[in-house]
Amino acid sequence: MFQNYLKIAWRNLKQNKAYALINITGLSLGIACSILIFTLLTFHLSFDNFHNNKDRIFRIVTEFHGEQVGHVSGVPSPLGKAIRNDFSFGEKVARVSASGDQLITINGETIKKFKEEDGVAFAESDFFEIFNFPLIQGDKKTALIEPNTAVITEQLAMKYYGTTNAIGKIFRLDNRFDFKVNGILKDLPTNTDRRQQIYLSFPSLKDWNAWLYSDSSWGGVSSSFQCFVLLKKGITKEAVEKALPATSKKYYNADDAKVFNFRLQPLSTIHFDPRFGGYADKKYLWALAFVGLFLVITACVNFVNLATAQALNRSREVGVRKVLGSLQSQLFWQFIAETAIITLFATIIACGIAQLTLPFLNNLFEVQMSIAFLSNVKLPLFLLSTAILVVFLSGSYPGLVLARFQPVIALKGKLSQRSIGGISLRRILVVTQFAISQILIIGTIVIASQMKFSKTSDLGFSKEAIVLVPIPTTDKTKMSTFRNKLSAVTGVDKNTFCYQAPAARDNSNTSILYDNRPKEEIWSVNMKQADDKYLETFGLKLLAGRNLYPADTTKEYLVNQTFVKKLSVLNPNDVLGKVIKVNGTEGTIVGVVNDFYNYSFRDEMAAVAIMPDYTNYNFSAIKITAANVTNSLAAIEKIWNEIYPEYVYDHTFLDESIGEFYELDNMMFTLIQAFAFIAIFIGCLGLYGLVSFMAVRKTKEIGVRKVLGASVQNILWMFGKEFTRLLLIAFFIAAPIAWYVMQLYLQDFKYRIPFGPGIFLAAIGATFLVAALTVGYQSIKSSLANPVKSLRSE
């Protein structure tokens, strides 16, 4: 019986090639998108879930309760030791301090230099007891006990030494410290947020950064210094968080104890909590999941629309089958078999499309995902579930419609679309398609507008043609030589030494004491160490007072408008000459500069203090003229290599660095843009099929109308009025849904575009244009047909 279903289904599809092609194309695109989205979702949801005891692993994080609640993924460096000594809830506690962009030097017959963008991590030995990063050589309990010892991955061992048998080998960090390899780590999986491939013994941190290593450094928190705990069995997160306030009370004074609050963050949420530096909020992933579902639904809508539209063509076939004794259930399963064949072809093509497209998705998200049909059981199950869902979503209603035909009426050819209930359903389905397309179009326009706003808005400083070149040492003589040689380069306009540009991801925030007030301010200040050339290089404007005098150490401060406002001072001149203490360093406020965005548009402008301190200069920011970019960059690199030959040269354009703030938004925009196009394309396929079928069904009617004097415009309107009405209904359904979803997206931005009616008008205008182009060709063709031939053909 089943073989007979398939044989007849194959014959029917061969006779209706256009119908089959439209459905296979739409379904294959929808399923391919769903495969890619499923792969992306499962990849991100799998982050760090391979660790043993993952449900008992937590990161201790810091909440600052001041003017607002601030969130930092790090903790004060002595906290981990205090947790071990003061509490018994932790089975294992490990501190780890990460540092990015580090130079590794291998001395041998030839000196090899490597810049490791993922950097290094100083870790306590219990780190490898908490996390499942296995060593293939060495002992994880003792490998990082002694100072100046390290474990590296297999990949780095091959890269540095040409062999994984690298125990006892030596490498130099930052041209200052030698480390001996005591262990070889198995290469890190791609689905972990711990990207460092070099782990250094924690006691070595004392020489690297004595302040971070100190047991008395309770006053500062760095996001790079983190503490992980493996809770004992039976201990709950809530019980630990009730005990942690005792730590604040013990190690801070009464005021600071209210500010410093420590929380436990489950390992499973680290990848998804942007407050603590997570990759992305889960809501973005679930939004993609819904987009994938919408695309599959859109393809199924095409199928149902075309199937019910063509049902009349098969009425006599159904009538004959019923007269010969076929049951309704047999006719139903016959149509399901046809749907299954189409879905099978579509799924096979979709798998090919997904495989071809995956490299572009990997490149977009800078990940290494794979579509493993055989090794990953989840994907075949997903494909099977999707195929079954598509078969029954697409085939059930048309199958029931065909099975319900009355044989006498069907054989007489007196069935109409209204008599089979197809018109109302098709209207609902077309509205559904248009609504999904318009939601995606509105989303695309909103995200694009916000991205344009972020890129083109005045940031309060100049970002164009500024190159950031890392300064590897704080040797004043070399820095002076570098600056002097730069000044002689054609195309170099200005340059400054600084900790960071005005807007940067890496920021240093601390509390301040103003004008000898008895208490520190409840808000924090963003510190920008920079020399006296900082203002002119970045185009910052003085509103009051003067610029910094040339100096190597902090004696003077520049502050911004927000700083003044937070002090509740109305006139910027009133803060000039006042003494402030920042991180224990006193200085006089000598100037007030205009406000500038020092974070992304997701964050509010912060209070800023700019001060000289050459020991914290990380970059030379060089403003070059646009006409000499290539030559200027080559000259800068040459000078840098002459002064710092033992290091690896690198540079970044400031506008590119700022663009990284919106990296995920750009990825989402690219995806939504692609999915919106696919949804529109699938909808157009279905629309074209419906109009083509309508033209065939109305051939006689069109001929009669033209004979009676109907114009081309009248015929066109006959086709267009129905779809125009449905499009408008779809818009009124899509608009509030899109408004709600996009409001949730824009709420993440403190500074955002106005969400006005223009966006909705643009969306409906685009949809009208696409629908008109799709319907127009077939409609014009039908309206220009010779009525005599039309009537004869009937």
Side-chain angles (χ1 to χ4, degrees):
M1 179 65 74
F2 185 71
Q3 184 179 0
N4 184 54
Y5 288 159
L6 294 178
K7 186 183 294 184
I8 296 172
W10 178 251
R11 289 174 181 170
N12 283 325
L13 292 176
K14 285 177 69 176
Q15 290 174 359
N16 297 281
K17 293 185 178 67
Y19 164 78
L21 181 63
I22 289 175
N23 280 323
I24 290 173
T25 302
L27 284 174
S28 61
L29 287 173
I31 295 173
C33 290
S34 71
I35 292 172
L36 291 172
I37 293 173
F38 178 80
T39 302
L40 184 65
L41 259 65
T42 53
F43 174 73
H44 282 288
L45 292 172
S46 72
F47 260 65
D48 285 306
N49 69 357
F50 55 87
H51 297 291
N52 301 328
N53 305 313
K54 58 181 179 292
D55 295 333
R56 293 194 286 132
I57 299 175
F58 293 83
R59 180 171 68 180
I60 304 177
V61 295
T62 306
E63 285 185 358
F64 290 103
H65 290 211
E67 185 182 33
Q68 296 177 336
V69 177
H71 301 86
V72 181
S73 60
V75 293
S77 52
L79 180 68
K81 192 172 182 179
I83 293 292
R84 266 195 299 264
N85 295 336
D86 298 347
F87 301 100
S88 59
F89 54 71
E91 183 176 314
K92 298 288 181 181
V93 179
R95 295 176 288 175
V96 57
S97 177
S99 181
D101 283 335
Q102 294 303 320
L103 175 71
I104 302 297
T105 306
I106 310 297
N107 292 313
E109 294 180 4
T110 59
I111 296 176
K112 294 185 288 186
K113 295 183 291 185
F114 304 93
K115 186 172 184 181
E116 297 297 340
E117 293 184 2
D118 293 323
V120 300
F122 295 86
E124 293 182 313
S125 57
D126 278 351
F127 180 83
F128 294 108
E129 297 284 337
I130 296 174
F131 291 98
N132 184 30
F133 294 126
L135 269 67
I136 58 174
Q137 294 182 50
D139 185 349
K140 64 182 179 181
K141 293 183 179 180
T142 60
L144 296 179
I145 295 294
E146 297 296 324
N148 298 102
T149 54
V151 296
I152 63 175
T153 62
E154 295 175 271
Q155 181 182 349
L156 287 192
M158 289 296 298
K159 177 179 170 182
Y160 294 163
Y161 309 109
T163 176
T164 57
N165 187 21
I167 298 294
K169 301 286 187 181
I170 304 295
F171 65 84
R172 172 160 285 197
L173 173 65
D174 195 32
N175 281 322
R176 291 190 290 162
F177 307 106
D178 288 333
F179 286 86
K180 183 177 73 171
V181 178
N182 264 10
I184 304 297
L185 279 173
K186 185 179 179 180
D187 284 339
L188 301 179
T190 56
N191 58 336
T192 177
D193 285 312
R194 304 301 312 181
R195 299 314 310 163
Q196 289 82 24
Q197 299 188 66
I198 300 175
Y199 284 88
L200 310 174
S201 56
F202 194 79
S204 307
L205 183 61
K206 183 177 181 180
D207 296 326
W208 177 263
N209 189 321
W211 181 81
L212 274 180
Y213 185 77
S214 171
D215 288 341
S216 59
S217 302
W218 286 97
V221 176
S222 169
S223 60
S224 64
F225 192 100
Q226 300 179 2
C227 182
F228 293 90
V229 58
L230 175 66
L231 297 184
K232 291 180 179 178
K233 292 181 180 178
I235 302 295
T236 64
K237 170 179 178 284
E238 291 73 21
V240 176
E241 289 189 334
K242 286 181 180 178
L244 285 176
T247 303
S248 298
K249 293 177 181 177
K250 181 176 179 179
Y251 295 100
Y252 294 100
N253 60 43
D255 290 331
D256 288 342
K258 297 176 183 177
V259 175
F260 286 82
N261 291 265
F262 304 113
R263 299 282 184 267
L264 291 189
Q265 182 184 22
L267 179 66
S268 60
T269 67
I270 290 176
H271 189 66
F272 302 106
D273 196 336
R275 298 176 305 166
F276 298 105
Y279 177 79
D281 196 316
K282 270 189 179 179
K283 67 184 180 185
Y284 291 119
L285 295 180
W286 296 126
L288 286 178
F290 279 109
V291 169
L293 179 62
F294 287 160
L295 291 174
V296 172
I297 290 173
T298 301
C300 291
V301 164
N302 268 4
F303 199 110
V304 176
N305 269 340
L306 294 176
T308 53
Q310 288 213 335
L312 289 180
N313 292 344
R314 303 185 63 175
S315 61
R316 286 188 173 86
E317 173 196 342
V318 173
V320 170
R321 286 178 177 275
K322 283 200 165 189
V323 168
L324 294 176
S326 291
L327 302 175
Q328 284 193 8
S329 60
Q330 292 175 317
L331 292 170
F332 173 79
W333 286 108
Q334 171 63 51
F335 196 83
I336 290 294
E338 292 182 19
T339 308
I341 290 176
I342 289 176
T343 304
L344 177 62
F345 278 113
T347 303
I348 293 171
I349 295 170
C351 291
I353 294 172
Q355 285 282 16
L356 292 173
T357 312
L358 186 65
F360 298 99
L361 195 66
N362 281 336
N363 185 57
L364 176 65
F365 281 91
E366 297 180 351
V367 293
Q368 296 176 357
M369 298 181 294
S370 62
I371 298 177
F373 293 105
L374 299 178
S375 60
N376 182 6
V377 68
K378 292 180 181 178
L379 187 54
L381 286 176
F382 170 77
L383 270 179
L384 180 62
S385 302
T386 302
I388 293 172
L389 180 68
V390 168
V391 168
F392 283 94
L393 277 179
S394 303
S396 295
Y397 181 79
L400 290 172
V401 168
L402 287 169
R404 280 204 315 261
F405 284 176
Q406 295 297 319
V408 176
I409 299 176
L411 288 172
K412 288 182 177 180
K414 294 183 178 181
L415 286 172
S416 66
Q417 285 291 330
R418 190 172 299 278
S419 68
I420 65 173
I423 294 176
S424 297
L425 176 70
R426 284 209 309 280
R427 285 173 177 165
I428 293 171
L429 294 179
V430 169
V431 166
T432 302
Q433 270 191 331
F434 278 138
I436 290 172
S437 298
Q438 289 185 33
I439 290 171
L440 291 173
I441 290 172
I442 292 170
T444 302
I445 295 172
V446 170
I447 297 174
S449 301
Q450 181 63 33
M451 289 302 94
K452 182 180 179 182
F453 175 75
S454 301
K455 291 177 181 178
T456 60
S457 295
D458 182 12
L459 301 178
F461 62 90
S462 173
K463 64 175 181 178
E464 305 301 329
I466 292 181
V467 182
L468 300 175
V469 178
I471 299 299
T473 71
T474 55
D475 186 315
K476 287 192 291 184
T477 302
K478 289 185 176 182
M479 291 166 69
S480 178
T481 303
F482 185 64
R483 168 171 279 166
N484 292 335
K485 288 192 174 185
L486 280 180
S487 63
V489 174
T490 303
V492 171
D493 189 10
K494 301 177 181 69
N495 74 88
T496 180
F497 291 112
C498 58
Y499 170 68
Q500 287 288 350
R505 284 186 172 182
D506 188 8
N507 287 279
S508 178
N509 295 282
T510 188
S511 56
I512 66 155
L513 190 66
Y514 174 74
D515 196 25
N516 297 315
R517 289 180 178 177
K519 292 184 179 180
E520 292 182 334
E521 303 302 318
I522 61 172
W523 41 271
S524 62
V525 63
N526 183 212
M527 297 190 298
K528 304 281 186 186
Q529 291 88 353
D531 63 19
D532 58 298
K533 307 295 183 183
Y534 194 75
L535 298 192
E536 65 180 45
T537 302
F538 290 107
L540 296 172
K541 299 176 182 177
L542 271 171
L543 301 179
R546 60 169 174 82
N547 192 11
L548 300 167
Y549 286 141
D552 293 329
T553 56
T554 302
K555 294 180 182 178
E556 300 176 335
Y557 290 99
L558 297 174
V559 299
N560 67 343
Q561 291 169 280
T562 297
F563 186 105
V564 177
K565 292 173 186 174
K566 285 181 178 292
L567 290 171
S568 299
V569 176
L570 298 178
N571 189 340
N573 289 293
D574 291 342
V575 302
L576 299 179
K578 299 294 185 182
V579 174
I580 61 172
K581 184 182 287 186
V582 180
N583 263 1
T585 303
E586 282 193 358
T588 305
I589 298 176
V590 298
V592 178
V593 299
N594 63 293
D595 271 341
F596 54 88
Y597 293 95
N598 51 330
Y599 300 114
S600 76
F601 280 11
R602 283 188 163 86
D603 304 288
E604 288 183 335
M605 285 187 188
V608 173
I610 304 170
M611 76 289 289
D613 181 3
Y614 82 96
T615 62
N616 278 303
Y617 294 160
N618 290 341
F619 293 96
S620 173
I622 307 165
K623 189 170 183 63
I624 58 180
T625 55
N628 293 285
V629 172
T630 303
N631 293 334
S632 298
L633 289 177
I636 292 168
E637 182 176 1
K638 182 180 179 182
I639 293 169
W640 194 94
N641 284 325
E642 289 173 359
I643 298 173
Y644 305 105
E646 65 273 31
Y647 292 90
V648 179
Y649 174 78
D650 192 17
H651 74 273
T652 306
F653 280 97
L654 178 57
D655 54 353
E656 293 175 354
S657 178
I658 293 172
E660 291 177 0
F661 284 140
Y662 311 103
E663 192 173 15
L664 183 62
D665 298 279
N666 287 324
M667 294 174 186
M668 292 293 293
F669 170 64
T670 303
L671 278 185
I672 296 296
Q673 196 176 25
F675 292 149
F677 173 80
I678 291 170
I680 292 168
F681 180 73
I682 293 172
C684 288
L685 284 176
L687 204 58
Y688 182 80
L690 283 176
V691 172
S692 300
F693 180 78
M694 185 187 295
V696 172
R697 299 294 301 178
K698 292 179 177 288
T699 300
K700 184 176 181 180
E701 179 185 343
I702 293 170
V704 171
R705 285 176 178 269
K706 293 195 72 173
V707 167
L708 295 176
S711 64
V712 173
Q713 289 83 357
N714 295 140
I715 303 300
L716 289 176
W717 180 239
M718 183 182 72
F719 282 98
K721 64 181 178 181
E722 174 73 6
F723 294 112
T724 300
R725 184 163 57 246
L726 297 180
L727 192 151
L728 288 173
I729 294 171
F731 174 75
F732 286 112
I733 293 172
I737 297 173
W739 180 87
Y740 175 74
V741 173
M742 287 297 101
Q743 281 291 349
L744 291 178
Y745 168 74
L746 291 174
Q747 279 177 7
D748 285 348
F749 294 87
K750 296 293 183 183
Y751 307 97
R752 51 185 179 262
I753 58 167
F755 196 3
I759 290 172
F760 294 98
L761 291 175
I764 195 171
T767 313
F768 264 117
L769 178 63
V770 170
L773 291 174
T774 305
V775 175
Y777 170 75
Q778 191 64 48
S779 302
I780 291 172
K781 182 180 176 182
S782 299
S783 64
L784 295 177
N786 189 333
V788 175
K789 291 183 178 180
S790 300
L791 293 173
R792 280 178 179 172
S793 68
E794 290 291 317

